[in-house]
Amino acid sequence: MKSSYRAVGGGWWYVIAVVASLIVTYVAADEHNHMTMSEALQGVELEFSGYDIDFKDDISPTEICMVDLSEEKHKAFVYAVKNQYWYQMYIDDLPIWGVVGKEEDKKYYIYTHKKFDISYNGKQIVDVTLTPERKELLRVGAKIKFTYEVNWKPSLVKFEDRFDKYLDPNFFQHRIHWFSIFNSFMMVIFLVGLVSMILMRTLRKDYARYSKDEEADDMERDLGDEYGWKQIHGDVFRPASNVMLFSALIGAGYQLTSVVLCVITFAILGELYTERGSMLSTTIFVYAATSPINGYFGGSLYARMGGKQWIKQMLMSAFIVPALVCGTAFFINFIAIYYHASRAIPFGTMVAVTCICIFVILPLTLIGTIVGRNLDGQPDYPCRVNAVPRPIPEKKWFMEPAVIILLGGVLPFGSIFIEMYFIFTSFWAYKIYYVYGFMLLVFLILIIVTVCVTIVCTYFLLNAEDYRWQWTSFMSAASTSIYVYMYSFYYFFFKTKMYGLFQTAFYFGYMALFSGALGIICGTVGYFGTNLFVRKIYSNVKID
């Protein structure tokens, strides 16, 4: 059995080549080990550490290598110690961590001895502990001997429970986490009550007023002061502007929502956190497998709105999310290559991702588009669309779509911002996120809150006789991502110690992708609920 390692800097996704010189001195090899494509995408670049460890074979203190500290190596080790760099190793897929050295009285010391305590149950390893020992002063010209020892001991820990020690229940199951779930749940009850009581009462009055207008003769109707959402029945189902982009975003949103629900469910049932890269591997597989959902909903919506260039729409729908992800990743990749970081994605992995997009995602999206256009591509609106658009009357500033969009994301963000802290901490501070039941509940709460908020926003917009509800409903829900991205700025400056071009670009690049994906999901959910609401209210009113 051989151990492998990667070096990580002070709580960052920044892998240093400095500590690797310790191993390279002993083993002049270039043994990079990407077990899976997801590990390569995540920058998990494993190298053979040089430690030969056999099962249940104790090893007394043994020399692993001898390093002559030249001025260059001295500066490298001092820099690593000064910046509190640490490294990560794996033994039987169990992660262990160790610090490079320690600073005392403005002097820099490096740990030269590694003590491995490995526990086993039967024929399986259930626990590994690494203890750095023997500090040695770093000075130019010194010869530093690195040693290690291995001690085996039996344990009663079950193999399936061996990852429990890496979990942090005091953090993830903190009282404030439970309180945030309860608070979000109360918000759901409040919003559902708001929609069902206030809004439906208002609609009941509208229905009564419109029924009275229908019973009046033509002269009374002409002298009346008709107003409200009924007056735009001939324009409310007019196709959205830029229908190709809109349908592509809706299709991608349905697909991303399906991916999130499936991955969370798999994580709950399968404990994906116990395997390196399994979360990303599962996400890639599910995303590719759910491509027909994208094509079906995007293609059918485009056909119902009268779109003619369905092939172009299908291509946009299939590649809009992969293009954003790959574009951001490749930009960060160039910076990673410049810094010689292991975050640089290998060329072969880029080719593999491209092949998945072309030979898997594209054909499945094409199939979904064809099925959607044939099964659900005919307009079935409850009202006919006028040939000439109705002019939109002037309204108060707070009823403008831009204001509604900005306000629409406040409550959905309020329902999830506590969970965002736990997710950010898990991703950027190396805590293993395992409370996927919480995540599923928060995601469902987000969906309900988003639907309720967008229905209310759309009702106000329609009542102001503004029929541009498709993009408004999508963007008012998608604006949640704006607040999430703003929160990521707060987290970066106050909760992390990142600095420099690479770390800043890496953080804000991938946070932009996360926020964008969340915005597409929320926008699609908001449009879905609002579309049902609009169809319902206009189907219940008699239109002459």
Side-chain angles (χ1 to χ4, degrees):
M1 179 179 60
K2 303 180 186 298
S3 61
S4 54
Y5 90 103
R6 64 174 178 173
V8 188
W12 312 319
W13 285 100
Y14 186 71
V15 180
I16 57 171
V18 173
V19 183
S21 62
L22 186 158
I23 306 301
V24 173
T25 304
Y26 177 71
V27 181
D30 186 21
E31 298 186 23
H32 301 283
N33 185 10
H34 297 298
M35 299 298 293
T36 62
M37 183 179 69
S38 63
E39 288 183 319
L41 291 172
Q42 289 179 304
V44 179
E45 185 170 314
L46 300 181
E47 298 180 7
F48 173 49
S49 65
Y51 299 100
D52 287 316
I53 302 175
D54 295 323
F55 187 68
K56 296 174 66 174
D57 184 10
D58 291 342
I59 301 177
S60 58
T62 304
E63 179 180 339
I64 182 70
C65 65
M66 181 76 72
V67 176
D68 293 327
L69 273 189
S70 62
E71 185 174 352
E72 182 181 356
K73 291 182 179 179
H74 175 264
K75 288 181 179 179
F77 280 119
V78 167
Y79 180 83
V81 174
K82 186 177 181 180
N83 290 278
Q84 300 179 352
Y85 276 73
W86 50 279
Y87 52 87
Q88 180 173 337
M89 306 177 71
Y90 290 95
I91 296 181
D92 195 34
D93 288 334
L94 287 175
I96 49 179
W97 300 269
V99 294
V100 176
K102 186 176 182 180
E103 180 181 358
E104 291 183 354
D105 300 328
K106 296 184 178 180
K107 294 183 179 180
Y108 302 100
Y109 298 85
I110 190 170
Y111 291 107
T112 62
H113 182 73
K114 293 179 176 62
K115 180 182 178 182
F116 296 94
D117 294 310
I118 307 177
S119 302
Y120 62 92
N121 187 344
K123 297 182 179 180
Q124 296 172 316
I125 296 176
V126 295
D127 186 31
V128 180
T129 302
L130 170 62
T131 307
E133 297 178 344
R134 298 178 189 171
K135 295 183 298 182
E136 186 163 336
L137 180 64
L138 288 171
R139 51 188 176 83
V140 178
K143 291 187 176 182
I144 301 178
K145 181 173 68 173
F146 290 92
T147 59
Y148 77 105
E149 65 176 296
V150 180
N151 299 311
W152 293 83
K153 58 182 179 180
S155 174
L156 297 177
V157 176
K158 296 181 180 179
F159 182 79
E160 56 269 20
D161 298 330
R162 65 179 190 158
F163 269 88
D164 289 352
K165 65 170 288 187
Y166 300 102
L167 309 182
D168 191 354
N170 292 329
F171 177 77
F172 286 106
Q173 298 185 37
H174 193 275
R175 191 183 310 171
I176 194 172
H177 203 171
W178 287 100
F179 177 76
S180 69
I181 299 293
F182 176 77
N183 185 50
S184 300
F185 183 71
M186 295 304 295
M187 183 184 297
V188 167
I189 296 177
F190 168 75
L191 287 174
V192 171
L194 174 67
V195 172
S196 61
M197 295 179 64
I198 300 178
L199 190 56
M200 297 313 295
R201 280 185 61 186
T202 304
L203 283 174
R204 193 177 298 117
K205 292 181 180 179
D206 291 340
Y207 286 137
R209 177 163 57 87
Y210 291 145
S211 298
K212 183 178 179 181
D213 292 340
E214 290 167 2
E215 295 173 358
D217 56 29
D218 293 339
M219 181 173 294
E220 290 177 340
R221 193 178 306 170
D222 292 338
L223 296 175
D225 56 345
E226 288 190 356
Y227 64 92
W229 51 267
K230 182 184 176 184
Q231 308 312 310
I232 57 172
H233 64 83
D235 296 282
V236 72
F237 294 108
R238 189 174 301 280
S241 59
N242 203 342
V243 63
M244 183 177 295
L245 176 61
F246 183 75
S247 59
L249 289 173
I250 294 297
Y254 276 105
Q255 182 182 9
L256 289 175
T257 304
S258 303
V259 170
V260 171
L261 290 173
C262 290
V263 171
I264 293 178
T265 303
F266 292 153
I268 293 174
L269 299 177
E271 296 183 348
L272 298 181
Y273 59 83
T274 61
E275 302 255 347
R276 276 195 321 273
S278 59
M279 183 65 71
L280 182 57
S281 297
T282 303
T283 303
I284 294 173
F285 171 78
V286 174
Y287 184 84
T290 54
S291 295
I293 296 177
N294 185 340
Y296 181 90
F297 287 101
S300 61
L301 178 62
Y302 184 70
R304 288 197 302 272
M305 289 187 173
K308 303 300 182 182
Q309 298 176 309
W310 69 272
I311 295 180
K312 187 176 179 180
Q313 185 277 336
M314 182 269 299
L315 292 173
M316 179 181 290
S317 187
F319 292 127
I320 187 168
V321 172
L324 291 174
V325 174
C326 293
T328 303
F330 290 165
F331 169 74
I332 297 174
N333 198 54
F334 290 132
I335 302 177
I337 293 173
Y338 175 78
Y339 281 93
H340 305 287
S342 71
R343 271 294 174 177
I345 302 173
F347 178 76
T349 305
M350 297 183 188
V351 174
V353 172
T354 304
C355 290
I356 291 175
C357 293
I358 296 176
F359 299 110
V360 179
I361 294 177
L362 182 59
L364 292 179
T365 305
L366 174 62
I367 294 173
T369 301
I370 294 174
V371 174
R373 288 178 58 83
N374 286 277
L375 295 184
D376 196 23
Q378 297 299 319
D380 56 347
Y381 304 129
C383 306
R384 66 178 182 271
V385 179
N386 294 335
V388 180
R390 174 190 176 98
I392 299 174
E394 294 185 2
K395 47 187 175 296
K396 295 182 179 180
W397 65 270
F398 54 83
M399 298 301 296
E400 291 292 337
V403 178
I404 293 176
I405 287 171
L406 289 177
L407 295 178
V410 174
L411 286 179
F413 172 72
S415 68
I416 64 171
F417 85 96
I418 295 295
E419 195 65 27
M420 288 297 100
Y421 171 76
F422 289 99
I423 293 175
F424 286 8
T425 303
S426 172
F427 191 80
W428 299 111
Y430 293 96
K431 287 183 179 291
I432 297 178
Y433 191 95
Y434 67 96
V435 285
Y436 290 100
F438 280 11
M439 181 182 288
L440 178 60
L441 183 58
V442 169
F443 186 69
L444 295 177
I445 289 174
L446 173 64
I447 290 177
I448 298 174
V449 171
T450 301
V451 169
C452 292
V453 169
T454 50
I455 287 177
V456 173
C457 292
T458 301
Y459 174 75
F460 289 148
L461 185 72
L462 296 178
N463 216 38
E465 300 183 16
D466 191 338
Y467 51 82
R468 299 171 296 181
W469 65 272
Q470 290 101 332
W471 273 110
T472 304
S473 63
F474 181 89
M475 295 302 297
S476 62
S479 64
T480 305
S481 61
I482 298 176
Y483 300 103
V484 171
Y485 198 58
M486 291 171 59
Y487 177 73
S488 72
F489 278 80
Y490 162 80
Y491 190 89
F492 179 83
F493 289 109
F494 294 99
K495 299 296 182 180
T496 71
K497 296 180 181 179
M498 297 183 183
Y499 65 91
L501 174 62
F502 174 53
Q503 295 179 60
T504 303
F506 184 83
Y507 178 89
F508 287 109
Y510 282 109
M511 286 311 306
L513 282 180
F514 174 82
S515 302
L518 182 64
I520 294 175
I521 291 173
C522 291
T524 302
V525 168
Y527 171 77
F528 170 77
T530 304
N531 183 50
L532 295 179
F533 168 76
V534 172
R535 286 174 174 271
K536 181 67 176 177
I537 64 174
Y538 281 95
S539 63
N540 288 339
V541 174
K542 181 180 178 182
I543 306 297
D544 294 332

